[in-house]
């Protein structure tokens, strides 16, 4: 007879697991053994005496660990299923499908994927009562394909026409939105009605136009006209960086530009817009009026900051303050995000509940908590309506609405399930948002905070309450203050760590002192700024808002002072451009660490370590030798000593991205040649002003000899004509005046001529002209230490791309067709690097 405490063998354990359900246990549930039964069984199996096997102690130990993991894996998976954590991965899989669809270089055929989705959905419905991988894998594939279809439907729904080439034209249109900046300049979102002189053959529907001239601002709904310079949205400044055309496409903006002079108001044409558009116009008028009133009540940056928090009009904040907020890690306060919406709704919820609780009879007769939640939901809705329908405000409102509705239905308001439901809703409405840093950082911080809160609550459930000394009336205030400070510290720490990888990926920097700035600023935001702003907004219809708005401005003045002080510490650390798989791998590890409950979440740690290794590997890769902007007007040559650039004042928008992505220093400015007494553009008497004379052979020979004498490590330039620099293996020439393109081909190993009308040099030197750059985008060229062109390699930002948001690059307004072809030498050098 076996001993009473003998451990069961593997065969006996199998019989116990597969025993039929007992109707006396768990109501005769279909599961043969519940999670706690398995949890009690498997530790007993693990305590069996060790089996002596050959191979040494290390091999036996590894074998036992793997065997233990193999036995515990079903238990952990079952526990995750019991707690409903499978639902948390629904938005992850759907979002992955949408992200994959957007990341493809070519738009795939719709119908094969749609039919595959239908087949998978039918199989999932038919096998819904099955368990294991036979059900999970088809379900995951169905959700992934659903995300791809959602992305395609949004692309069809937007159908934004993006301008194909920069043009100066007379345009007229209706003002849909407007916003003032810190210099008093107005930016208008204009729905184009007509263009002329010249007429744009493929006009965008909406453009964003800046008016630098002082004028009486046009109101929303008015028609304005004027001569304007409009250009397509910028593409990536380097391969792998942000494509601004993508976000513009899904925002409905087909071009950006500026007015020459002040725009003129015109008589409004008959409007065919519906009532929804009229309601939108009234809301934007109300938003603009509120922002103007706040800025008039509180002058300067504090007033602009307050208006940004209330209405999301951020352009009025000065560049210095914006930069200080960014360097100190406080820029997230400016946008209407989850923090602002949560504080506003939370303060309103707590305030209403506290006031109603004073009336004891009312509080006992009616559900005060639900009334307060309903009032907070109405307040959050009003906040969203005057926020300008920004992406971050929309996401924050949906998340807050779901949490408040959960209170109305007696469900937990703060849970990962509500976060997942919010993410799923936003992905279903706007799948393109999943690729933006705002979506990623917002949900990463929210998920990490909710998971951290749940972990802390779970750890504290089994503990005894504080001992008597900590409940003493004299100790309680100190303990409360300590808990509050510790809560802010932990919240800021979790938020900073959870969003660090997205900051590294999108902005190539980390604000190392962001924790200190948030610790100092968040109490002011929570106890001064948001309560005063909420009270001021509630009293604004009665004209009693001024004292509260001034108090809000005073609090924001303190926040700006904190930002300037922390920014002066210099804690902005550049991380550089990351490996293409860095964000995917690190996000997968983060999601496993955050969304899982059992030790399975530890699988995320190796993934995070792998992401760090990928980041280190990218930093160890050699830098390119030559950088070319997408318009060809800015060229940089990199060597071991520094960066030489061809422009005395390089555009900040381009070079700042190069600097952050490649961790470059300040560039060496070009050496300008003395101006000529008679520049080539001078016209002889009687020659038409719109014609340019041909250059004399002597002028070309002089220019050619000067190009060949270009110094190393620095550009030498002939003003408005050409620039040349010598690298270790040849001469690079950037040509501004196309008449010098032929001479440059004879003198250089590489010619960048955006205005040249030919795309190949007779000398065999590679020619990169404007047409090539418009199709291929910004370029990085690796010379690989060789003078042989066949060993050079090019990485182009947009080569091989043919998506709706990049198709305008291939449009030819002369032939009214699309042409994706590249010159053969350039195409070959791009193909050698995979594009």
């Amino acid at each position: 007879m076996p001993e009473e405490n003998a451990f069961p063998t593997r065969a006996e354990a199998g019989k116990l697991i597969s025993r039929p359900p007992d109707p006396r246990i768990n109501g005769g549930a279909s599961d043969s053994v519940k999670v706690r039964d398995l949890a009690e069984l498997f530790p007993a199996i693990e305590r069996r005496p060790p089996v002596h096997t050959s191979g040494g102690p290390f091999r036996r130990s590894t074998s036992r660990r793997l065997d233990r993991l193999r036995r515990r894996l079903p238990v952990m998976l079952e526990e995750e299923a019991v707690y409903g954590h499978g639902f948390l991965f629904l938005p992850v899989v759907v979002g992955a499908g949408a992200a994959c669809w957007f990341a493809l270089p070519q738009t795939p055929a719709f119908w094969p994927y749609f039919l595959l989705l239908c087949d998978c959905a039918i199989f999932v419905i038919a096998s819904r009562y099955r368990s294991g991988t036979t059900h999970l894998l088809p379900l995951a594939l169905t959700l992934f394909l659903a995300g791809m279809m959602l992305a395609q439907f949004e692309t069809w729904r937007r159908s934004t026409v993006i301008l194909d080439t920069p043009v100066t034209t007379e345009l007229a249109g209706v003002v849909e939105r407007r916003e003032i900046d810190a210099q008093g300049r107005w930016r208008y979102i204009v729905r184009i009605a007509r263009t002329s002189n010249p007429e744009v053959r493929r006009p965008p529907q909406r453009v964003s136009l800046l008016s630098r001239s002082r004028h009486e601002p046009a109101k929303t709904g008015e028609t304005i006209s004027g001569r304007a310079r409009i250009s397509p949205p910028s593409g990536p400044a380097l391969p792998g960086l942000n494509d601004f055309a993508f976000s513009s496409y899904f925002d409905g903006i087909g071009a950006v530009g500026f007015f020459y002079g002040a725009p003129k108001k015109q008589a409004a044409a008959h409007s065919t817009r519906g009532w929804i558009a009229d309601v939108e116009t009234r809301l934007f008028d109300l938003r603009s009026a509120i922002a103007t009133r706040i800025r008039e009540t509180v002058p300067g940056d504090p007033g602009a900051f307050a208006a940004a928090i209330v209405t999301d009009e951020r352009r009025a904040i000065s560049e210095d303050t914006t930069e200080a907020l960014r360097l100190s890690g406080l820029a997230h306060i400016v946008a209407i995000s989850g923090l602002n919406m949560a504080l506003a709704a939370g303060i309103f919820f707590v305030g209403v509940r506290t006031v109603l609780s004073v009336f004891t009879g009312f509080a006992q007769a009616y559900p005060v908590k639900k009334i307060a939640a309903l009032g907070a939901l109405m307040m959050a809705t009003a906040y969203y309506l005057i926020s300008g329908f920004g992406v971050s405000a929309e996401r924050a409102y949906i998340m807050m609405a779901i949490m408040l509705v959960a209170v109305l239905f007696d469900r937990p308001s703060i849970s990962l399930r509500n976060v997942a439901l919010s993410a799923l809703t936003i992905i279903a409405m706007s799948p393109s948002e999943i690729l933006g840093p705002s979506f990623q950082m917002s949900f990463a911080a929210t998920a990490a905070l909710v998971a951290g809160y749940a972990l802390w609550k779970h750890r504290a459930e089994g503990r005894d309450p504080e001992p008597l000394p900590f409940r003493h009336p004299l100790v309680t205030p100190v303990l409360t203050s300590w808990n509050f400070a510790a809560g802010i510290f932990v919240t800021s720490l979790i938020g900073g760590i959870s969003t660090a990888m997205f900051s590294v990926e999108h902005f190539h920097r980390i604000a190392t002192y962001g924790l200190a700035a948030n610790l100092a600023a968040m109490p002011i935001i929570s106890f001064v700024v948001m309560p005063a702003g909420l009270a001021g907004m509630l009293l604004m219809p009665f004209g009693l808002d001024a004292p509260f708005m001034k108090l809000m401005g005073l609090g924001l003045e303190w926040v700006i002072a904190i930002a300037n002080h922390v920014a002066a510490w210099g804690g902005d650390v550049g991380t550089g451009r990351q490996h293409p798989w860095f964000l995917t791998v690190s996000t997968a590890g983060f999601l496993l660490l955050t969304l899982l409950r059992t030790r399975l979440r530890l699988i995320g740690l190796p993934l995070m370590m792998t992401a760090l290794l990928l980041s280190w590997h990218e930093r160890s890769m050699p830098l390119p030798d030559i950088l070319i902007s997408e318009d060809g007007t800015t060229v940089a040559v990199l060597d071991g000593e520094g960066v030489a650039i061809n422009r005395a004042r390089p555009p900040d928008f381009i070079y700042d991205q190069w600097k952050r992505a490649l961790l470059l220093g300040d560039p060496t400015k070009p050496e300008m040649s003395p101006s000529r007494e008679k520049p080539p553009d001078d016209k002889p008497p009687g020659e038409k002003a719109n014609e340019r004379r041909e250059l004399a052979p002597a002028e070309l020979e002089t220019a050619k000899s000067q190009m060949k004498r270009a110094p190393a490590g620095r550009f030498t330039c002939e003003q408005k004509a050409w620039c040349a620099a010598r690298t270790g293996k040849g001469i690079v020439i950037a040509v501004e005046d196309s008449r010098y393109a032929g001479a440059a081909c004879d003198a250089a190993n590489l010619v960048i001529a955006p205005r040249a009308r030919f795309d190949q040099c007779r000398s065999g030197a590679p020619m990169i002209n404007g047409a090539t750059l418009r199709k291929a985008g910004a370029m990085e060229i690796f010379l690989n230490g060789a003078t042989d062109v066949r060993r050079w390699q090019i990485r182009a930002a947009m080569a091989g791309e043919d998506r709706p948001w990049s198709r305008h690059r291939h449009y030819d307004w002369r032939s009214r067709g699309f042409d994706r072809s590249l010159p053969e030498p350039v195409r070959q050098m791009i193909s050698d690097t995979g594009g």
Side-chain angles (χ1 to χ4, degrees), residues 28 171 312 358 520 537 621 803 812:
L171 63 81
D312 208 28
V358 173
M537 288 303 301
M621 298 295 291
R803 304 304 301 271
D812 184 4

Side-chain angles (χ1 to χ4, degrees), residues 263-286:
K264 302 175 183 178
K265 296 182 182 180
Q266 292 189 343
H270 176 69
S271 176
T272 58
R273 306 174 70 194
W275 65 271
I276 297 179
D278 292 337
V279 171
E280 246 185 37
T281 299
R282 293 180 182 274
L283 287 174
F284 280 114
D285 287 340
L286 176 62

Side-chain angles (χ1 to χ4, degrees), residues 13 17 37-47 71-72 74-75:
I17 294 176
D37 301 323
L38 293 173
E40 294 170 359
L41 173 63
F42 281 121
I45 298 177
E46 293 168 6
R47 290 194 298 270
R71 293 195 302 267
R72 288 189 59 85
V75 181

Side-chain angles (χ1 to χ4, degrees), residues 123-156:
F123 181 83
V124 168
I125 294 173
S127 62
R128 62 186 180 277
Y129 297 114
R130 298 182 183 180
S131 60
T133 56
T134 56
H135 177 70
L136 289 180
L137 291 181
L139 177 61
L141 181 58
T142 302
L143 295 173
F144 188 86
L145 292 171
M148 299 179 75
M149 295 299 99
L150 288 172
Q152 179 61 76
F153 290 146
E154 185 189 19
T155 304
W156 284 344

Side-chain angles (χ1 to χ4, degrees), residues 47-60:
R47 290 194 298 270
R48 292 176 60 187
V51 179
H52 295 283
T53 59
S54 60
F58 177 77
R59 183 173 180 180
R60 291 195 299 269

Side-chain angles (χ1 to χ4, degrees), residues 154-364:
E154 185 189 19
T155 304
W156 284 344
R157 188 173 74 249
R158 297 295 182 182
S159 298
T160 302
V161 176
I162 298 181
L163 185 69
D164 53 275
T165 189
V167 63
T168 301
T169 182
E170 298 279 349
L171 63 81
V174 180
V175 176
E176 293 190 343
R177 301 187 189 183
R178 63 174 192 169
E179 188 173 343
I180 194 171
D181 65 8
Q183 288 78 36
R185 304 175 301 182
W186 285 91
R187 181 169 291 278
Y188 299 100
I189 302 298
V190 179
R191 178 164 48 87
I192 292 182
R194 63 183 181 275
T195 59
S196 60
N197 192 28
E199 180 182 357
V200 180
R201 295 180 179 177
R202 190 172 172 269
Q205 185 178 6
R206 289 181 182 85
V207 296
S208 175
L209 293 172
L210 177 67
S211 177
R212 300 188 180 99
S213 302
R214 298 289 179 179
H215 66 286
E216 182 182 354
K219 297 180 180 179
T220 306
E222 290 186 334
T223 301
I224 60 174
S225 64
R227 190 155 187 83
R229 176 71 174 179
I230 53 177
S231 304
S234 299
L238 285 177
L241 300 191
N242 182 43
D243 183 7
F244 296 94
F246 177 84
S247 56
S248 293
Y249 179 91
F250 289 99
D251 289 339
I253 306 298
V256 294
F258 57 89
F259 281 110
Y260 290 104
K264 302 175 183 178
K265 296 182 182 180
Q266 292 189 343
H270 176 69
S271 176
T272 58
R273 306 174 70 194
W275 65 271
I276 297 179
D278 292 337
V279 171
E280 246 185 37
T281 299
R282 293 180 182 274
L283 287 174
F284 280 114
D285 287 340
L286 176 62
R287 175 199 183 208
S288 181
I290 292 173
T292 302
R293 182 179 179 88
I294 294 174
R295 288 192 293 266
E296 290 176 350
T297 305
V298 184
D301 277 342
F305 201 164
I309 291 177
V310 175
T311 65
D312 208 28
E313 288 192 3
R314 314 176 206 172
R315 296 183 184 274
I317 305 175
S318 67
E319 294 182 3
D320 293 339
T321 299
T322 301
E323 184 69 8
L325 292 170
R326 182 188 62 79
L327 293 175
S328 61
L330 295 176
H332 63 92
I333 301 175
V334 179
I336 297 180
S337 57
L339 170 67
N340 308 60
M341 192 73 72
L343 285 174
I347 292 169
F348 191 92
F349 174 80
V350 173
V352 171
R353 189 178 183 185
T354 302
V355 171
L356 294 180
S357 298
V358 173
F359 305 96
T360 309
F362 184 87
Q364 292 177 348

Side-chain angles (χ1 to χ4, degrees), residues 365-540:
Y366 298 98
V368 173
K369 182 179 179 181
K370 294 184 179 181
I371 294 175
L374 182 61
L377 179 60
M378 296 173 63
M379 191 281 306
T381 303
Y383 192 6
Y384 171 65
L385 291 177
I386 65 171
S387 67
F389 310 107
V391 173
S392 58
E394 176 185 277
R395 182 174 54 257
Y397 171 71
I398 291 175
M399 187 180 301
M400 187 53 56
I402 289 175
M403 292 183 177
L404 292 173
V405 169
V407 174
L408 296 177
F409 288 93
D410 297 317
R411 303 293 296 175
S413 59
I414 302 177
S415 66
L416 285 174
R417 193 177 187 87
N418 287 344
V419 176
L421 186 59
S422 303
L424 195 60
T425 303
I426 294 171
I427 292 173
M429 294 172 56
S430 303
S432 60
E433 297 302 332
I434 196 172
L435 297 182
S438 180
F439 177 95
Q440 296 170 3
M441 298 178 77
S442 176
F443 275 101
T446 304
L449 289 171
V450 173
Y453 168 77
L455 181 62
W456 179 262
K457 183 179 178 181
H458 177 70
R459 289 173 60 89
E461 284 178 352
R463 297 184 179 181
D464 296 331
E466 290 104 347
L468 183 60
F470 292 98
R471 288 180 286 168
H472 193 277
L474 297 178
V475 181
T476 300
V478 178
L479 184 62
T480 302
S481 302
W482 166 256
N483 289 336
F484 175 76
I488 293 179
F489 175 80
V490 174
T491 300
S492 301
L493 183 63
I494 293 176
I497 293 176
S498 61
T499 57
M501 57 185 174
F502 302 103
S503 178
V504 167
E505 171 67 22
H506 295 287
F507 308 116
H508 316 302
R509 57 161 61 98
I510 296 179
T512 54
Y513 298 123
L515 178 60
N518 279 274
L519 286 175
M522 287 315 299
I524 301 174
I525 296 294
S526 301
F527 291 103
V528 178
V529 173
M530 293 307 296
L534 180 59
M537 288 303 301
L538 294 175
L539 295 174
M540 186 174 287

